[in-house]
Amino acid sequence: MKEGSALSSSVSPSRPAATPIVLPVSKSVLWLVGSAIIALVVYYFIGVDQGAVSVFGNDMHIHEFVHDGRHFLGFPCH
């Protein structure tokens, strides 16, 4: 077999080790609180926003927009 043939094994050059991102505790707390607030708002609009507890009163646009997602996630809505 020839040395330059396609069947010969090749060794890939080593890559430098990846350095982790250092995130200060104060920034990580902000990210955690911000993510939790966004998650609760999304949870409200998908799971709770209908009828008497609706933020928008009798307007059902949000309810209809997320209607199929409600059923997929197991929320009863009618």
Side-chain angles (χ1 to χ4, degrees):
M1 193 182 271
K2 295 181 182 178
E3 286 186 36
S5 69
L7 298 176
S8 66
S9 65
S10 64
V11 177
S12 62
S14 62
R15 294 183 184 177
T19 57
I21 297 174
V22 179
L23 189 63
V25 173
S26 60
K27 280 194 174 188
S28 61
V29 168
L30 288 175
W31 276 100
L32 180 63
V33 170
S35 299
I37 289 171
I38 291 172
L40 287 172
V41 167
V42 168
Y43 178 79
Y44 172 79
F45 281 120
I46 292 176
V48 183
D49 185 48
Q50 71 176 26
V53 295
S54 177
V55 172
F56 301 108
N58 292 334
D59 187 18
M60 296 296 285
H61 285 93
I62 300 291
H63 174 84
E64 292 302 326
F65 182 72
V66 297
H67 186 260
D68 292 336
R70 295 172 70 96
H71 288 297
F72 179 73
L73 294 172
F75 288 99
C77 64
H78 48 82

